């Protein structure tokens, strides 16, 4: 689903679902498009593509860590440290944070997808700086989806949002040429984000100030990676989470950074 208002991106979402779930999920995506905090959509595109079972790549969720920081600056500093530990150059990490904080698309707008950033040089590599790379064809097995949503909401977090971010991070982390991911929401009232690297999804709060409508994603790419193959994997390869990993235990622990 892609929703926009007067040509400006409002929200997007993707789901990999069984045929039986198609109608309910399509309606749920439409409701999401029409009830978005960033504004009311005037144009909504819902695209449905077939996926063969034999094409599916199966994966598990990363481990989860929850870090509460004293403010935006310390949270962003911690993000830089985590990225450096994962092998991202400090300059590249700072470049990404700066871009997300200012609006990474031309005209300081929010991108529809993610930036690709060379993990060593910090150079932006995506072909289209407004669209970026959009991770698609990803999902979680239906039974696990309900299980995960219960786990997340019992921890006091937003079930759909956190579940979707975990699934997306799992697909991105599965790509050997992506060293790490940085994300925070473009929804003005949602202040948490994460760094995903080395099989761990570290939630960081707050990565931005209340009311800030900017956010986005950065994928840090191993120098010399085949960008065509990497983009094709992210956008087209169907990826299904079939293992929740340790998220049920991890999610209860919040630690002050
Ligand atoms: N592929 C690539 N980039 C995307 C995609 C996608 N499928 N979906 C969204 N983005 C980019 C796009 O630039 C959005 O502006 C940005 O990410 C944020 O999207 O543990 O809510 O859907 O508490 O607003 C992360 C923390 C929340 C969850 C992320 O993202 C938690 C969130 P949003
Ligand atoms: Mg959003």
């Amino acid at each position: 689903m892609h929703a926009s208002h007067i040509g400006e991106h409002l929200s997007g979402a993707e789901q990999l679902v069984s045929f039986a779930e198609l109608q309910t999920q399509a309606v749920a995506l439409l409701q999401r498009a029409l009830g978005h905090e960033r504004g009311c959509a005037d144009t909504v595109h819902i695209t449905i593509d077939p996926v063969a079972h034999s094409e599916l790549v199966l994966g598990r969720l990363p481990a989860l860590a929850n870090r509460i920081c004293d403010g935006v600056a310390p949270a962003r500093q911690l993000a830089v440290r985590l990225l450096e530990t994962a092998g991202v150059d400090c300059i590249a990490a700072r470049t990404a944070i700066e871009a997300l904080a200012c609006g990474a698309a031309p005209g300081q707008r929010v991108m529809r997808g993610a930036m690709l950033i060379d993990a060593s040089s910090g150079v932006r590599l995506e072909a289209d700086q407004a669209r970026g790379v959009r991770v698609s064809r990803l999902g979680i097995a239906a039974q696990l989806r309900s299980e995960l949503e219960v786990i997340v909401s019992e921890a006091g977090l937003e079930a759909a949002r956190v579940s979707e971010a975990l699934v997306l991070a799992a697909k991105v982390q599965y790509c050997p040429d992506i060293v790490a991911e940085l994300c925070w929401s473009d929804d003005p009232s949602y202040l948490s984000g994460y760094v995903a690297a080395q099989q761990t999804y570290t939630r960081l709060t707050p990565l931005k100030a209340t009311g800030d409508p900017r956010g986005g994603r950065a994928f840090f790419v191993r120098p010399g990676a085949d960008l065509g193959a990497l983009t094709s994997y992210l956008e087209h390869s169907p990826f299904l989470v079939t293992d929740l990993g340790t998220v049920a235990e991890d999610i209860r622990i919040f630690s002050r950074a």
Side-chain angles (χ1 to χ4, degrees):
M1 177 277 289
H2 175 223
S4 56
H5 178 67
I6 329 177
E8 184 147 357
H9 167 76
L10 279 183
S11 84
E14 28 279 303
Q15 301 271 19
L16 186 60
V17 299
S18 65
F19 188 78
E21 294 179 282
L22 206 49
Q23 298 200 20
T24 31
Q25 289 296 325
V27 171
L29 287 175
L30 179 59
Q31 285 168 340
R32 191 195 296 204
L34 296 177
H36 203 272
E37 120 168 67
R38 287 170 55 79
C40 188
D42 56 25
T43 304
V44 180
H45 294 276
I46 295 181
T47 310
I48 296 170
D49 290 314
V51 168
H53 214 273
S54 57
E55 292 177 65
L56 285 180
V57 174
L58 307 181
R60 75 184 295 188
L61 292 183
L64 189 143
N66 250 320
R67 309 294 298 269
I68 312 294
C69 301
D70 283 332
V72 173
R76 290 181 181 175
Q77 264 160 32
L78 180 51
V80 172
R81 284 217 305 279
L82 292 166
L83 290 167
E84 282 188 288
T85 306
V88 176
D89 185 272
C90 177
I91 303 296
R94 288 184 197 283
T95 304
I97 289 177
E98 193 62 26
L100 293 188
C102 296
Q108 305 206 313
R109 287 163 197 265
V110 169
M111 292 175 74
R112 300 197 292 284
M115 296 185 277
L116 297 180
I117 295 188
D118 183 298
S120 290
S121 66
V123 169
R124 278 175 73 173
L125 303 169
E126 73 277 11
D128 177 339
Q129 294 199 346
R131 179 182 180 276
V133 174
R134 189 93 202 157
V135 186
S136 199
R137 301 197 177 181
L138 73 171
I140 176 164
Q143 197 191 324
L144 291 185
R145 188 187 313 136
S146 330
E147 215 177 297
L148 180 59
E149 293 192 353
V150 169
I151 292 170
V152 173
S153 44
E154 282 180 350
L157 304 175
E158 276 186 34
R161 186 193 300 273
V162 176
S163 304
E164 283 173 20
L166 280 165
V167 171
L168 189 146
K171 179 171 179 182
V172 172
Q173 283 291 291
Y174 193 86
C175 178
D177 278 333
I178 298 182
V179 178
E181 176 189 358
L182 167 70
C183 163
W184 70 81
S185 179
D186 54 9
D187 301 9
S189 62
Y190 201 81
L191 312 183
S192 298
Y194 63 87
V195 168
Q198 300 169 307
Q199 285 82 52
T200 303
Y201 172 108
T202 306
R203 297 186 73 236
L204 300 167
T205 307
L207 274 174
K208 71 175 189 185
T210 311
D212 185 347
R214 283 157 302 190
R217 283 185 155 88
F219 303 151
F220 296 91
V221 174
R222 210 177 290 288
D226 177 343
L227 293 182
L230 181 145
T231 305
S232 162
Y233 164 75
L234 293 172
E235 298 196 331
H236 303 299
S237 236
F239 181 91
L240 188 71
V241 169
T242 51
D243 182 347
L244 295 183
T246 56
V247 69
E249 299 89 74
D250 300 346
I251 204 165
R252 292 182 233 282
I253 305 159
F254 285 78
S255 58
R256 291 204 72 83

